[in-house]
DNA sequence: GAACGTGGAGAGTGATACTCTCCACTCTCT
DNA sequence: AGAGAGTGGAGAGTATCACTCTCCACGTTC
C-alpha cells in the first residue's frame, strides 16, 4: 500500500502522514526504490492509534512519540508494559517538568500522597510518576481552596481499585491476536479515560436528579 | 486591593491578569478614578479558579470564560447549577463541534449510547451533551479497534455511579460559606478528574503487581 | 514634584500541529 | 515510449492559542 492508500483508508491527509513520519511517530515504510516505499496494515493501525491519542485524548505529538517508542520496546510482559504505558503518560497539563518541583509541591503534600498510598496498602513503585503527580494534584486542589483529606480520598480510591480490576480483566481476557497486548493496554488505559469521565458526569446528573426530588420533568 | 496586589497574592503576572480582564474571565474591578480600580477577595478567588481550570485541567481560556459565565448566572439551585457546569464542559479534545456530527458519529453509535443509558436506568436530560459525547467516544474506541459493548461498560458505569454519589456527598456536606456551591461543583467535578485518573492508574499498577505475582521487588 | 504604578489596548512572541511548496524521480495508463 | 499523476523528502509557511511586551496618559505615593 502506498501513502495515498494509507491516507484514504485512515482519513488522515498525506501531508500529515509525512509529518508523522518525520517526527518518528510512524515508522518508515519499506523502500522499493530510491523514492518509493510501501506501507502495510501495521502502519494503518499505528496511524489510527496516533490519531486517537492525539485528537481524542489530546496527547501532544511529542508525548505520543515517546509513548509509542516505549511501546515498541515492549517485551510482551504485561506488567512491565503497563508500567511503561503508565509511566509515559502525562495526566494533567504539565508539559514535562516545567518547574523544579521542589518549589511548586511542598514536601507536606508529598507526604500526604505517601500517606494515602500507605493507607490504601497499594504497592506503587518508588519512582513512579504517580506519586509526584498525585502530590501535585493534591497541592493544586488545596491551593484553590478545596483541600482533599486522606479520609475523603480513600473511598474514591477504593472505587478506582475496582475500576482497575475491570481494566486488567479487559486486558487479560480477549485473546484476539489482531491487537497486541501493549496496544490494548494503551487503548484501555488512555482512551477509556474520557469515557469514564463522561460516565461520571452523567452519573452525577442522574444522582442529582434522584436526590433533588424526582418531580423533574425529563421533557 | 490593586492589580499588583492581585498579582502578588495569586502569583499570576499583571499582564496575564489584564489579559483575563480583557477576555472577560475576570470581572473588572470597581473604578476609583478614570484609570484606577480596586479588586477584592472575590477577584482573587476567581483568579485562582481560572488558573486551576486553565493550567491544571487544561481548559481553554474560551471554555473557561463560558463556564464562568454560566456560573455567574447561578441561582443557588444545586441541581440546576450542576447541570450548567456539566453542560458547559468539554470532555475530550473536541473544540466546539468541529464537524456536523451527523457524519462523524454514525447513528448506530448514538443508539448504542442510548441503549447503555437505558440499561443503566439513568435519567439524563434529552439534550444533554453527555449523550452525544458518549456516542462519539464509543465511536472512536470502535474506530481504533477496541469496540466497547454495553455489557462491558455497565460495570464501569456502576462504579461511576458510586463515585458520583461521593461527589454529591461532598457538595452537599461541608456547608462552609467561604466557597459557594457553584464553585465547589466546578472544583469537585473538574479538578477531581485528574486525581481520579491518577488514582486509577496507580490502582492499575497495584492490581497488576498483585496479579503478576508478588515477587516483584519494590527496590 | 519626581518616581513609580495603573488601566487600557494593540502588537509581538513562542509553542504546536499541521499544511504548502518544491524537487527529482517513479509509476501507470495508453 | 511518452505524458500525467503520484511519491518521498525537506524546508518554509500558516493558524491558533495563551500569553507577554510596549506605549501612553494619567494617578498615587513619598
Amino acid at each position: 500500500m502506498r501513502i495515498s492508500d494509507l491516507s484514504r483508508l485512515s482519513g488522515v491527509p498525506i501531508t500529515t502522514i509525512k509529518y508523522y513520519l518525520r517526527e518518528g511517530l510512524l515508522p518508515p515504510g519499506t523502500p522499493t526504490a530510491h523514492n518509493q516505499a510501501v506501507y502495510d496494515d501495521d502502519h494503518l493501525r499505528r496511524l489510527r492509534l496516533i490519531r486517537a491519542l492525539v485528537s481524542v485524548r489530546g496527547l501532544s505529538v511529542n508525548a505520543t512519540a515517546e509513548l509509542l517508542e516505549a511501546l515498541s520496546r515492549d517485551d510482551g510482559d504485561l506488567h512491565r508494559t503497563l508500567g511503561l504505558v503508565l509511566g509515559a503518560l502525562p495526566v494533567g497539563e504539565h508539559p514535562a517538568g516545567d518547574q523544579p518541583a521542589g518549589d511548586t509541591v511542598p514536601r507536606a503534600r508529598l507526604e500526604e500522597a505517601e500517606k494515602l498510598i500507605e493507607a490504601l496498602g497499594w504497592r506503587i513503585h518508588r519512582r513512579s510518576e504517580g506519586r509526584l503527580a498525585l502530590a501535585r494534584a493534591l497541592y493544586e486542589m488545596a491551593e484553590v481552596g478545596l483541600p482533599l483529606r486522606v479520609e475523603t480520598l480513600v473511598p474514591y480510591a477504593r472505587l478506582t481499585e475496582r475500576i482497575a480490576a475491570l481494566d486488567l480483566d479487559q486486558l487479560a481476557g480477549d485473546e484476539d491476536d489482531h491487537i497486541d497486548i501493549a496496544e490494548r493496554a494503551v487503548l484501555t488505559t488512555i482512551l477509556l479515560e474520557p469515557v469514564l469521565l463522561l460516565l461520571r458526569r452523567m452519573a452525577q446528573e442522574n444522582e442529582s436528579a434522584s436526590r433533588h426530588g424526582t418531580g423533574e420533568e425529563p421533557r
Side-chain angles (χ1 to χ4, degrees), chain A:
Chain A
M1 142 190 346
R2 274 169 298 161
I3 202 167
S4 59
D5 302 306
L6 207 51
S7 170
R8 191 170 32 76
L9 291 173
S10 66
V12 178
I14 289 182
T15 48
T16 304
I17 296 176
K18 288 183 173 184
Y19 167 64
Y20 289 156
L21 284 166
R22 253 181 293 166
E23 297 296 311
L25 296 204
L26 212 50
T30 50
T32 60
H34 189 50
N35 31 324
Q36 295 284 283
V38 292
Y39 305 89
D40 56 22
D41 283 341
D42 283 350
H43 285 92
L44 183 54
R45 219 151 41 79
R46 173 65 71 101
L47 187 51
R48 285 208 246 254
L49 178 61
I50 292 167
R51 291 259 76 176
L53 295 175
V54 169
S55 79
V56 178
R57 238 327 292 274
L59 232 54
S60 76
V61 166
N62 218 308
T64 307
E66 281 170 32
L67 174 59
L68 293 175
E69 217 263 319
L71 269 193
S72 68
R73 280 200 308 271
D74 171 51
D75 55 0
D77 175 348
L78 177 58
H79 184 56
R80 256 184 57 77
T81 300
L82 199 55
L84 282 175
V85 170
L86 300 181
L89 278 183
V91 176
E93 281 290 301
H94 297 284
D98 41 0
Q99 262 147 358
D103 203 63
T104 44
V105 182
R107 194 156 299 278
R109 294 298 159 191
L110 251 171
E111 277 166 22
E112 206 168 310
E114 299 293 340
K115 213 163 59 183
L116 175 62
I117 292 170
E118 197 185 350
L120 292 166
W122 283 357
R123 343 156 128 225
I124 301 295
H125 197 286
R126 283 277 150 68
R127 328 192 49 171
S128 174
E129 271 291 324
R131 291 171 185 275
L132 187 59
L134 182 60
R136 191 158 43 206
L138 296 183
Y139 168 69
E140 277 153 354
M141 291 293 282
E143 271 293 284
V144 90
L146 197 77
L148 293 172
R149 278 161 306 132
V150 171
E151 312 89 83
T152 312
L153 285 172
V154 166
Y156 280 108
R158 291 300 174 209
L159 292 172
T160 63
E161 270 176 358
R162 297 179 54 186
I163 288 177
L166 290 176
D167 293 336
L168 290 220
D169 289 346
Q170 282 270 99
L171 281 183
D174 268 8
E175 287 300 332
D176 39 4
D177 312 337
H178 69 283
I179 302 191
D180 67 9
I181 191 97
E183 216 173 295
R184 248 184 307 140
V186 177
L187 294 174
T188 305
T189 300
I190 307 182
L191 289 190
L192 209 51
E193 288 182 349
V195 175
L196 289 175
L197 295 182
L198 265 171
L199 287 176
R200 174 179 176 233
R201 294 223 192 131
M202 292 174 79
Q204 285 180 345
E205 185 181 337
N206 175 61
E207 181 75 14
S208 171
S210 300
R211 292 192 187 191
H212 193 264
T214 55
E216 194 77 16
E217 246 278 291
R219 220 351 217 81

